[in-house]
Amino acid sequence: MSSSAKIEDAVREAIISQPDVILDDSDVMQALIAANVKAMGGNIVDLRGIAMERLETRLDRLEDTHRSVIAAAYENLAGTNQIHRAILRMLDPLEFEPFLRDLGGEVADILRVDAVKLMLESVQNDSDPAVQRLGDVLSVAEPGFIDSYLTQGRGSAVRQVTLRSVQDASDQIYGQNAEWIRSEACLKLDFGAGRLPGMLVLGAEDPHMFGPQQGTDLLAFFTGVFERAMRRWLS
């Protein structure tokens, strides 16, 4: 009699009746291939087994890429819907002060940021009553402040959208909330010929909320809509 272990009749019949179960189980198939290689001995190279391993590796990479693409598509769709909702809410008010107050309220909630500040350059000081009333959202700075803030004094090119992490957030921008702001999106605003620029700043407590490696297309679109809304109010 042979000393080799015999498969049980019940297991054998189950495999014969449902072979697809074995073929679809990658762990079982790998165990069978390994047993086959071991049975052939160390002096024989199983090219078929090597090819299968390489195909499995490529398939794993393809599946990972597929999952990454799907996740990125869903994230982009969610971001697009978020920006659209924020724009619609921003365009609802019929007066300027409610328009600005909504920036730090429902618009900030929709964008899931912790602070929204509108900075306007002006040759006048911030003693205007409207500025005083809207101090939580609106601030006034001297001409040249915005470009200096965006470039951090380095004199580099100014982008429409700047995303970055921050260690010591500006008190002039965030006021008493500056101590817990860890990342920000700075949107430079062009109000048209003859007008000084502005800047809309979105601040977040999450240090990973905004970063230079992220895309800016959606925020650039949001900036364009906000500029046009502000031009309407300023006119």
Side-chain angles (χ1 to χ4, degrees), residues 99-120:
F99 167 78
L100 290 183
R101 293 191 185 280
D102 279 354
L103 292 178
E106 292 191 33
V107 174
D109 292 339
I110 293 172
L111 294 176
R112 297 179 182 176
V113 296
D114 300 297
V116 176
K117 294 287 289 188
L118 175 62
M119 178 68 67
L120 301 178

Side-chain angles (χ1 to χ4, degrees), residues 41-53:
N43 295 327
I44 299 176
V45 178
D46 183 10
L47 296 178
R48 183 178 59 180
I50 294 174
M52 289 184 66
E53 289 179 1

Side-chain angles (χ1 to χ4, degrees), residues 62 69 86 93 104 121 125 129 168 175 216 219 223:
L62 182 61
V69 170
E121 290 187 354
N125 57 35
D168 299 311
T216 60
L219 285 176
T223 302

Side-chain angles (χ1 to χ4, degrees), residues 1-203:
M1 294 179 61
S2 173
S3 59
S4 301
K6 298 295 185 180
I7 190 170
E8 294 183 5
D9 291 340
V11 176
R12 183 173 181 274
E13 291 177 3
I15 293 173
I16 293 174
S17 62
Q18 293 182 305
D20 291 346
V21 175
I22 301 297
L23 296 174
D24 292 337
D25 192 316
S26 60
D27 292 335
V28 173
M29 289 301 297
Q30 288 176 358
L32 292 174
I33 293 171
N36 182 55
V37 172
K38 184 178 179 181
M40 289 189 300
N43 295 327
I44 299 176
V45 178
D46 183 10
L47 296 178
R48 183 178 59 180
I50 294 174
M52 289 184 66
E53 289 179 1
R54 291 181 178 176
L55 286 173
E56 288 176 355
T57 301
R58 292 178 61 184
L59 179 60
D60 289 341
R61 288 201 300 264
L62 182 61
E63 289 179 344
D64 290 340
T65 301
H66 179 70
R67 284 192 290 267
S68 298
V69 170
I70 295 297
Y74 276 114
E75 184 177 355
N76 187 61
L77 179 60
T80 301
N81 291 336
Q82 188 180 41
I83 291 295
H84 288 172
R85 288 172 53 218
I87 288 173
L88 290 176
R89 185 65 189 91
M90 185 177 66
L91 296 178
D92 277 344
L94 300 178
E95 297 180 357
F96 186 54
E97 288 196 19
F99 167 78
L100 290 183
R101 293 191 185 280
D102 279 354
L103 292 178
E106 292 191 33
V107 174
D109 292 339
I110 293 172
L111 294 176
R112 297 179 182 176
V113 296
D114 300 297
V116 176
K117 294 287 289 188
L118 175 62
M119 178 68 67
L120 301 178
E121 290 187 354
S122 175
V123 295
Q124 301 176 354
N125 57 35
D126 59 358
S127 59
D128 186 278
V131 176
Q132 296 293 331
R133 289 195 304 272
L134 298 168
D136 292 341
V137 180
L138 178 63
S139 297
V140 175
E142 68 280 2
F145 171 83
I146 290 174
D147 283 357
S148 178
Y149 182 79
L150 291 174
T151 61
Q152 296 181 331
R154 298 190 182 97
S156 55
V158 177
R159 297 188 297 270
Q160 184 185 36
V161 179
T162 300
L163 308 179
R164 62 193 179 194
S165 59
V166 292
Q167 295 298 324
D168 299 311
S170 170
D171 293 335
Q172 187 172 355
I173 298 288
Y174 298 104
Q176 62 183 3
N177 298 326
E179 60 183 279
W180 44 263
I181 296 296
R182 291 295 176 266
S183 66
E184 63 182 7
C186 304
L187 317 179
K188 185 176 181 181
L189 307 171
D190 180 3
F191 298 134
R195 292 195 176 104
L196 291 170
M199 178 175 64
L200 188 66
V201 184
L202 313 177

